[in-house]
Amino acid sequence: MSGQSITDRITAAQHSVTGSAITKTVCKATTHEIMGPKKKHLDYLIQCTNEMNVNIPQLADTLFERTANTSWVVVFKSLTATHNLMVYGNERFIQYLASRNTLFNLSNFLDKSGLQGYDMSTFIRRYSRYLNEKAVSYRQVAFDFTKVKRGSDGVMRTMSTEKLLKTVPIIQNQMDVLLDFNVNANELTNGVINAAFMLLFKDAIRLFAAYNEGIINLLEKYFDMKKVQCKEGLDVYKKFLTRMTRISEFLKVAEQVGIDRGDIPDLSQAPSSLLDALEQHLASLEGKKVKDSTAASRASTLSSAVSSLANTGMSLTRVDERERQAALEEEQARLKALKEQRLKELQRNPAIATTDSSPVSTAGGTVNSVPVIDLFSTPRFPASPTPQQPQNSQSLNVDFDSVFGNNTNANNLESTDVLGGILKPTVTSLTNQSTPLNGQQPHKLVSNDLDSSLANLVGNLGMSNGTAKNDLHWSQPGERKLTGGTNWQPKTAPSTTWNPANMAPSVVAFPATTPTGMMAYAMPPQMGSMMMTQPGLLYSQPGIRQANPFGTNPGAQVTELRIHTHNWCQIREREMLA
């Protein structure tokens, strides 16, 4: 089975159609090709973990779904891709894995498609167990042992005794599961398992470096511990010696498969006399008979052991630094190659360097840019354009004719006056009114005189043969309470007996409490005449009086407009008095 299968291509095409780039990349990194995941796919997924708009749970779930495949190649590569993201990706990824109750459930995985499937299924089960343990370790201590700060001021060297005795066993468990991968050089026969082994090799070096520094801290505090702590510390140290032997065998396998000798650290074991000194100290605390040993001899043994372990730590650090330097050089080489490629493209097509990525361009020292359109700004309209200024077709044009239901005089508006006057409704004049008020021509609007405009508005209320138009839908005025001055007297409610002949007019131009003298006081003559004569004019119109008080009252619409007109007149009066 070599190359991408038809299933891989169909799956990638489906995700291309749906636009899920992350899912497509995961499928590309976990194809049926018997080789490790391609670096370009892993780099893309690593970059995705650093983007805040990427859904980390969805990315992890996509990798989990790929492990449900029946092919050992797809499953093994899915585990390798997950391990890469745990090591080199953003910490958010491993935090999410640590927050899950279960990760990879591959303890019973078995690919029966061939002999190679049987062999690789064993390493898949071991590998998935290590990744689970790595996430569990992060959950317990809230950091990754392979990424902690090392040195004399590192995390493991500055940890307290109580915390140290709880933390070192967690490292031991993770180290045990890693070494349980237990692969031989002759079993590393394909690119898939080789990629997983390289990640385990790097994890083993960093994990053992943190383990080694924890043991150094433990030995420095051992002779000052309590009896119970000394017993736990001695057990931890004995397990450390066992794991040092196992890690040495693991490194030998790495050397056999072609890893550079400079990338393999030298492990220096502590002298065996240290173990004797630790056991004798614990026996003395328990009250047993032990050989007499001076404090100077114990200090010398401890110093020698710490020095040996420190050399091991320095060797591990050098390996880590070499890997970091190699990665930096690789990135610099890639950047240099990209720059050279860009320069070649510019030489072949110099026009690309001008405006291919810039929204503005310079020509003759000037900057040419497209004006920015603010979609949320308020449109500006000219308040009173001059006659010489052409009328803008997009200017505000208020059509009072459509509001009042009359379009007969739409052509009488001046083309150069847009909102120049105040209140310019054009309605049909009264048919039985022989002379317009104030000598104005019918339908002639005074644009700059407020008082004349109000008078013309009241005199030109649209009444056709005493019948109100049906297109006016003004609401009936609500209840109004009568309040007034000293001359106000409450009116008695009308009796239920209705007499059409004695019915009071239903249209009242002004409230009863408003003195007529006050309305005409200090007002222009034309305004005063309008206020005094207009009610009688309205009462004389046919059809104004309502025959049935409980039926529809078309005069109420006129009353509402008159009330608004009166309120405006009062405001004008106060301004003139002021």
Side-chain angles (χ1 to χ4, degrees):
M1 187 188 305
S2 62
Q4 295 185 16
S5 64
I6 297 178
T7 305
D8 295 333
R9 296 175 182 177
I10 293 176
T11 305
Q14 288 176 349
H15 294 301
S16 298
V17 173
T18 59
S20 179
I22 294 179
T23 308
K24 177 182 176 181
T25 307
V26 170
C27 294
K28 287 285 188 180
T30 58
T31 58
H32 288 79
E33 296 176 283
I34 304 180
M35 58 180 295
K38 293 182 180 179
K39 190 176 186 303
K40 62 179 182 179
H41 298 147
L42 294 178
D43 290 343
Y44 179 82
L45 295 177
I46 291 171
Q47 181 61 30
C48 287
T49 61
N50 295 317
E51 300 294 335
M52 297 305 297
N53 60 341
V54 172
N55 191 336
I56 296 297
Q58 182 180 0
L59 172 58
D61 291 341
T62 305
L63 291 169
F64 293 152
E65 291 175 1
R66 296 296 287 174
T67 59
N69 199 286
T70 57
S71 173
W72 69 268
V73 182
V74 176
V75 176
F76 217 150
K77 293 173 74 171
S78 301
L79 296 176
T80 305
T82 304
H83 195 178
N84 268 282
L85 297 184
M86 295 175 74
V87 175
Y88 301 109
N90 192 282
E91 195 172 3
R92 296 187 303 151
F93 185 80
I94 191 172
Q95 285 175 352
Y96 171 72
L97 297 184
S99 66
R100 290 176 60 100
N101 294 328
T102 58
L103 293 180
F104 301 105
N105 187 15
L106 299 173
S107 58
N108 297 322
F109 177 81
L110 181 61
D111 186 353
K112 301 179 182 180
S113 60
L115 182 61
Q116 192 177 27
Y118 276 95
D119 295 337
M120 294 297 107
S121 296
T122 302
F123 296 106
I124 286 176
R125 293 193 294 268
R126 297 173 183 176
Y127 194 25
S128 63
R129 183 166 172 258
Y130 169 71
L131 295 182
N132 290 341
E133 186 63 31
K134 186 178 178 70
V136 170
S137 299
Y138 188 95
R139 182 192 308 169
Q140 292 174 335
V141 297
F143 59 83
D144 189 354
F145 289 112
T146 62
K147 299 180 182 180
V148 295
K149 182 180 179 181
R150 298 199 294 265
S152 58
D153 58 343
V155 175
M156 300 303 298
R157 291 289 295 272
T158 58
M159 198 171 288
S160 62
T161 303
E162 293 78 7
K163 190 174 182 180
L164 183 66
L165 292 174
K166 294 180 180 179
T167 304
V168 173
I170 299 175
I171 303 179
Q172 289 177 344
N173 293 335
Q174 186 174 344
M175 179 64 69
D176 290 342
V177 179
L178 188 151
L179 297 175
D180 285 342
F181 193 73
N182 196 21
V183 64
N184 297 324
N186 57 358
E187 293 173 324
L188 299 175
T189 57
N190 58 76
V192 180
I193 191 173
N194 288 343
F197 179 78
M198 287 302 300
L199 291 174
L200 291 174
F201 170 74
K202 296 175 181 179
D203 265 17
I205 293 177
R206 297 167 182 169
L207 187 61
F208 189 77
Y211 192 13
N212 185 73
E213 289 192 348
I215 295 300
I216 294 176
N217 189 12
L218 179 66
L219 294 176
E220 291 175 346
K221 298 178 178 180
Y222 181 81
F223 294 99
D224 297 329
M225 293 180 183
K226 300 177 182 179
K227 181 175 66 174
V228 177
Q229 294 175 340
C230 286
K231 189 175 181 179
E232 294 180 5
L234 180 61
D235 184 63
V236 168
Y237 181 72
K238 289 180 179 179
K239 292 180 179 179
F240 173 75
L241 296 177
T242 304
R243 281 144 185 84
M244 180 173 282
T245 304
R246 295 185 63 187
I247 193 67
S248 299
E249 297 174 354
F250 184 85
L251 297 178
K252 289 179 182 179
V253 175
E255 186 177 357
Q256 292 175 2
V257 296
I259 295 179
D260 189 3
R261 186 66 183 85
D263 294 335
I264 299 176
D266 296 325
L267 303 182
S268 302
Q269 294 187 355
S272 57
S273 59
L274 177 63
L275 181 59
D276 295 336
L278 298 178
E279 290 176 346
Q280 289 179 9
H281 178 71
L282 178 59
S284 64
L285 293 178
E286 292 176 348
K288 298 179 181 179
K289 268 189 180 183
V290 295
K291 297 178 181 179
D292 295 335
S293 60
T294 61
S297 63
R298 289 188 305 178
S300 177
T301 303
L302 180 62
S303 176
S304 177
V306 170
S307 178
S308 299
L309 297 178
N311 292 333
T312 300
M314 292 177 62
S315 179
L316 295 170
T317 302
R318 283 195 299 269
V319 172
D320 204 8
E321 289 294 334
R322 286 192 59 178
E323 181 187 355
R324 186 179 295 108
Q325 185 65 27
L328 182 60
E329 292 176 356
E330 182 181 357
E331 290 297 328
Q332 290 178 350
R334 292 177 59 189
L335 181 61
K336 183 178 179 181
L338 291 175
K339 288 182 178 179
E340 293 177 354
Q341 181 180 1
R342 181 63 175 173
L343 289 176
K344 292 179 181 179
E345 292 178 356
L346 295 179
Q347 290 175 359
R348 289 195 301 265
N349 189 4
I352 300 178
T354 57
T355 59
D356 57 346
S357 61
S358 177
V360 296
S361 61
T362 58
T366 61
V367 178
N368 298 327
S369 61
V370 180
V372 178
I373 300 176
D374 189 358
L375 299 178
F376 300 96
S377 62
T378 304
R380 299 178 180 177
F381 299 102
S384 57
T386 58
Q388 292 79 11
Q389 181 180 358
Q391 182 67 28
N392 190 359
S393 60
Q394 296 181 354
S395 300
L396 180 62
N397 186 10
V398 181
D399 189 3
F400 287 97
D401 298 327
S402 61
V403 176
F404 289 92
N406 184 17
N407 293 326
T408 58
N409 298 318
N411 297 325
N412 292 337
L413 295 177
E414 297 180 2
S415 60
T416 59
D417 187 10
V418 180
L419 294 183
I422 302 176
L423 286 180
K424 303 170 83 172
T426 304
V427 296
T428 306
S429 60
L430 298 178
T431 56
N432 59 348
Q433 183 176 358
S434 59
T435 303
L437 294 178
N438 301 326
Q440 297 293 336
Q441 297 294 328
H443 314 300
K444 181 67 175 178
L445 300 178
V446 181
S447 60
N448 296 323
D449 191 345
L450 174 61
D451 300 329
S452 300
S453 297
L454 292 175
N456 197 13
L457 172 64
V458 175
N460 291 301
L461 290 176
M463 304 296 295
S464 178
N465 297 326
T467 305
K469 294 185 178 181
N470 295 329
D471 56 351
L472 299 179
H473 300 284
W474 293 338
S475 60
Q476 187 76 6
E479 180 183 0
R480 299 180 180 275
K481 296 183 179 180
L482 297 178
T483 58
T486 57
N487 297 327
W488 177 80
Q489 294 181 358
K491 296 182 179 180
T492 59
S495 62
T496 56
T497 304
W498 175 64
N499 188 2
N502 298 328
M503 188 64 185
S506 60
V507 178
V508 180
F510 305 102
T513 57
T514 304
T516 56
M518 181 61 69
M519 290 190 296
Y521 176 73
M523 295 180 64
Q526 64 272 18
M527 201 65 185
S529 62
M530 177 199 68
M531 302 294 288
M532 296 299 294
T533 62
Q534 192 65 21
L537 176 65
L538 288 176
Y539 292 154
S540 63
Q541 301 299 322
I544 294 298
R545 299 180 183 273
Q546 181 67 22
N548 187 1
F550 301 101
T552 305
N553 187 5
Q557 301 170 353
V558 182
T559 304
E560 180 69 13
L561 181 60
R562 289 182 176 277
I563 292 174
H564 286 296
T565 305
H566 172 63
N567 293 337
W568 201 335
C569 293
Q570 286 185 335
I571 295 174
R572 179 65 175 173
E573 178 185 355
R574 294 192 189 98
E575 292 178 354
M576 296 179 65
L577 290 176

